[in-house]
Structures are given as C-alpha cells and as structure tokens.
Amino acid sequence: MKQHRLFITLLVALTVQAAQADDIKVVGQNLQNFFYSLDRGRTQGNGSITLSNYNTETGRTAKLNAIVGTLSQYEADIYAFNEVECCEEVLQLLAQSMSEKTGKNYMPVTDGLSYDLTSEPDGVIKSGFIYNAATIEPVGENLSTAVGYNHFYPATMRMQGFKSKSDDEVFYISMNHFKASTSSDITDDINQRESNSISLLKGLDQAVLDPDILIMGDLNSEMGEQCLNNLMDAGFTEQILKHEGSSAASHWYYATGSLIDHVFANSTMSAQITDAHMLYVANPHSTGNYNTAYSDHDPYMVTLNLQAQPVVKFGYRKVEAVSAGKSYLMVFNNEKISNPVSTSKTYEYLSVTNVSPIDNVITLTSDKNGFKFEDDGNGYYYIKDAYGRYIYLYNNGSSYNYTTNVGNKANAQSHSVVKQSNGTFHVHNNVANYNILYTTNYNNCSWRNWTSLNNGQYWPTLWEYDPSITVTGITEIPAYTQPSTTRKVMEQGHLIIITPSGSRYNLQGIQIR
C-alpha cells in the first residue's frame, strides 16, 4: 500500500511539474515614452521625475535599468510594451538588457517600423514585443490592426502570433494604445477610442482565422465606456477583473487609481488563462513614489496554460420579445440563420447557414452571427452586427449597407420589431418602410417592402444569446460564404492571398500549391 501511495504521490508531483512547465507568462506595460534616441529634447511631465529625464545617455540608462530591473524578476516568456520609440533599436536594447539581466536569450519582434526625425521632430511611439527565444517562437508577420488609419495608430495597434516551443500551441497577442483623454472636448476622445475598438475588431477578423486571442494594452478607458463594450459584444472578456476583482487599478493619479490598462481574451483564450493580475509592487508609481517611477502605468501579468481544452459555445433561445442591448440570431423557417458580412465590404445580401435546433436551443461555435438591438432613444432599435457596424438601407435597395465608422451613427436607421401571430417578427426599417426576410429563390436575406409572403419566403424568428446555456452538443458550425473577391487570410502563421478562383499566393506574389 505504501508503495502504491508513493507511486501516486510521485505521479501527481510529476503531473503538476509538467503543467507548470507548460505555463506561458506574458507581462505588459506602458513604458511612458521610452526612447532610444537622445536628440529629441524629450522630457516627460514637468521634468521633476528623475527617470523621465532621459535626453542624455545617463538618463536613458537610468530608465532602462529601472524597467529591466523591475520586469526581469518575472522572467516572462513575452513582454509586450506600449509607448516605446518607433524604431528598431529600442526593442533591441530592451531585449539585450533583459538577456544580460536574466541570463536568458530575449529577442525583439521585428516590425519594420521607423521614424523620420526631420518630419517628426517629437518622435513617434509604437507598441512592440520581446520574447524568450528558448520558449517562444514568433509566428507570421507583425501586423497592424488599425484598419482605416493612415498614421499613428498603425504603429500603436500591433498584432503578433506566437508559438510555444514545448507544445507547438499558437496564440495571438494584440497590443494596443487607444486615444488618451487629452482633447479639450472629452467626447472627441471617447468617440476616437470607440473607433479604435471597431478598427481593432475588423483588423483581427481580417488577419486571424482560428485564433486564441489576447487583446492587451493601454486602452485609456475604464469599464463601461463604449470602446470596451464593443470588445465584450464581440465575445472578449476582461481578465484582470475576472481574476483579481474590481479593486484592480493600473494607472494612478496621486492617490486615486483606475483600471485603464486591460487584458481581454476571446472564449478559447479565456479558457487557457490561469491568472491575470496587476504587479503593484513592481513599479513605485502605485505606491506613491513618483520621483522614482519609470512609468505612470503599472505592469500586469497573464499566465497561460495552453494545454487547457476549452469548450467553445454560444447558445441562443427563441424569444417572444426583444430587449435593448441583447444579441439575437435571425432564424428563418427554423433552419437557417443569417451570416455576417465580410469586414472588407460595406454592403451585401446576407448569406445563410443551416442549423438544427436541439431542445429549442441553437448552439454555435462563433458569435459572429448575432445582431445587437440597440435602443435608439425613441422606443425603436438600431441594429448592429458583431463587428459593431450599424445596418441601414440605402436608396430603397434590397441589400444591407453597413456603417464604416461605428462612432458616427449618421447612417444608422431605426427599426421597429413587431411579433406576428405565427411567432415570426417584422423587423421593420422605419426610414424606408422595408422588412427583413429570407427567400429560398435567392437563398439569402434582403430588404423588401412586402406585407405578405408567398411559398419559400420567411420572416425571421429571433433567438437571444443566453450565456447560462449548458451545451451537450454543437448544433452547427457556421460555414460562412467566402466573398467573391481577392482576400488575405492567415494560414499557419503566414499571410496568404487567395483569388476568387481559389489560387493561393504569398505576399511576394509566388503561387503556393
């Protein structure tokens, strides 16, 4: 019996060791304008913060030593930074210094970003990564997720795939810096951050096909602001609040702390996160020692167990009425659901996917088919897709138009939602006097001004997302209709160009077979 107990004890110990060995640690922080260049005349704040006066080699070294001396103790597999200079040298310097401090081999992720000192005398900041080359391998290119921006944000909104060398598991980190509250009109900043979040979601959708995604960074907003609501509506969950609780804070204005740096994860990634919390003792700023703080933001750490097997599910139940702020499937003839429109398009008929409800529940492996019904303030609803785009009808057409900037509701149109005697709904566009319906003849959803239907034509029933649903089986895996245009997709970490005929090319134009 003792031998058996000893064997079991050893087995448990080995199992725990193996699980710990597979853990991946990710540390993130805003470094408050850490520059490699010395000729920019840059001094943070009022110049009284010692480690911010780094327009000399002595000052830069002091701040570098403070950063590395603090963060090296965690020996993270990946460090993700905001507010570092937009040049290759700054990440090389951080990686080299971290390697010297820890004895490990840290490498910078190459992003190809640079600055022009003559045209940008005050410098440009970016977000970037360094990683432990013994445990982590970058996957694919370092890409911007700032869809729709021509300057600044493409450098501060960066996405990189990483692979754990111990088990070949791949995941993606999106490191972001949203608009700070610096404008004279705070509403402008809020709207800009909302645009940042929608741009990010579009960028992730275009760059990553089957990901485990972490969205991290200085998002300059507390929970409840619309930019963060957009991330939650898209299926991302805030992890620091989940694991640490509501007392978490990342930025301190003297004695008052607020959580404006965040870690969001989609459902598959969330299931693989074992911990996420702030590192308060790491940076003196949170303890009030402002004169020795190297940043006005505290760092945070996320621990991943990539061996966890997540259960991905989104369950929906049929409803008799709608509620503002909820997400709904539009289901036709109890067998077809409308699909989202590609983020590369601004209008299209809605294609459909077959479903088979089980016990009056529809369960999907994606939430991208849902439409959020948003109160327009007059007793009606704006309708927003999973990417945050409002649908509207243009010039009494029959296809669906989408706003390109969620912060601007100028094109958004109100809808009444009226239940019919047979359980279907008239989802009625109040501007054009058209309803949403599905026709088997065209096998898609469109706008029509019909008041009655013939065979093969259906009004939708509405099924509301219910996070409490316990799923025993998957109803259907959505198979979206691919757009009939040339598109870019991520395959095994590489960006691939696919033509409408199905031919595949790499970014150098060489055909892949």
Side-chain angles (χ1 to χ4, degrees), residues 256-277:
T256 302
S258 59
L259 187 66
I260 62 174
D261 298 79
H262 295 278
V263 176
F264 282 87
N266 65 346
S267 56
T268 58
M269 189 80 265
S270 181
Q272 299 174 85
I273 294 176
T274 60
D275 188 33
H277 64 276

Side-chain angles (χ1 to χ4, degrees), residues 29-31 80-84 126-127 175-177 217-218:
Q29 188 177 16
N30 180 326
L31 296 186
F81 301 119
N82 296 129
E83 287 196 19
V84 295
K126 70 177 181 179
S127 298
M175 190 62 172
N176 302 275
H177 191 188
D218 177 8

Side-chain angles (χ1 to χ4, degrees), residues 181-192:
S181 294
T182 55
S183 302
S184 57
D185 184 355
I186 192 172
T187 302
D188 291 340
D189 295 325
I190 292 173
N191 289 339
Q192 180 61 72

Side-chain angles (χ1 to χ4, degrees), residues 208-240:
V208 182
L209 287 184
D210 186 20
D212 297 327
I213 304 176
L214 281 177
I215 295 176
M216 298 170 47
D218 177 8
L219 306 187
N220 274 308
S221 51
E222 296 183 81
M223 298 303 293
E225 190 171 310
Q226 187 58 45
C227 65
L228 303 188
N229 291 343
N230 290 336
L231 301 184
M232 293 189 294
D233 289 344
F236 290 85
T237 305
E238 216 292 339
Q239 298 297 309
I240 294 174

Side-chain angles (χ1 to χ4, degrees), residues 330 347-350 371 381 383 390-394 396-402 413-416 426-439 444-450 459:
M330 290 190 288
Y347 68 92
E348 192 174 50
Y349 294 106
L350 298 184
F371 290 87
Y381 303 94
I383 300 178
Y390 294 94
I391 65 173
Y392 67 98
L393 190 153
Y394 176 72
N396 289 351
S398 54
S399 64
Y400 293 78
N401 293 77
Y402 284 82
Q413 295 172 342
S414 65
H415 300 77
S416 61
H426 281 180
V427 181
H428 182 77
N429 187 299
N430 296 329
V431 176
N433 202 30
Y434 277 43
N435 295 319
I436 292 175
L437 58 80
Y438 165 78
T439 60
N444 62 29
C445 305
S446 59
W447 298 103
R448 301 290 177 181
N449 60 355
W450 304 335
W459 309 122

Side-chain angles (χ1 to χ4, degrees), residues 150-213:
N150 295 321
H151 61 280
F152 188 74
Y153 289 110
T156 66
M157 298 170 63
R158 307 300 298 182
M159 186 276 293
Q160 179 63 53
F162 293 100
K163 180 171 70 174
S164 168
K165 288 188 173 181
S166 66
D167 51 27
D168 289 335
E169 291 289 337
V170 174
F171 62 99
Y172 293 83
I173 299 179
S174 170
M175 190 62 172
N176 302 275
H177 191 188
F178 285 2
K179 177 67 171 69
S181 294
T182 55
S183 302
S184 57
D185 184 355
I186 192 172
T187 302
D188 291 340
D189 295 325
I190 292 173
N191 289 339
Q192 180 61 72
R193 287 193 289 270
E194 186 175 4
S195 295
N196 287 149
S197 67
I198 297 305
S199 172
L200 169 62
L201 291 172
K202 290 180 180 179
L204 290 175
D205 182 67
Q206 291 179 15
V208 182
L209 287 184
D210 186 20
D212 297 327
I213 304 176

Side-chain angles (χ1 to χ4, degrees), residues 26 91 95 110 117 158 172 240 254 295 324 332 364 378 384 414 420 427 494 498-499 503:
V26 181
L91 292 176
T110 302
L117 193 61
R158 307 300 298 182
Y172 293 83
I240 294 174
Y254 292 96
S295 174
F332 303 90
L364 307 174
N378 297 304
K384 185 164 63 175
S414 65
Q420 307 301 298
V427 181
H494 298 284
I498 302 179
T499 67
S503 299

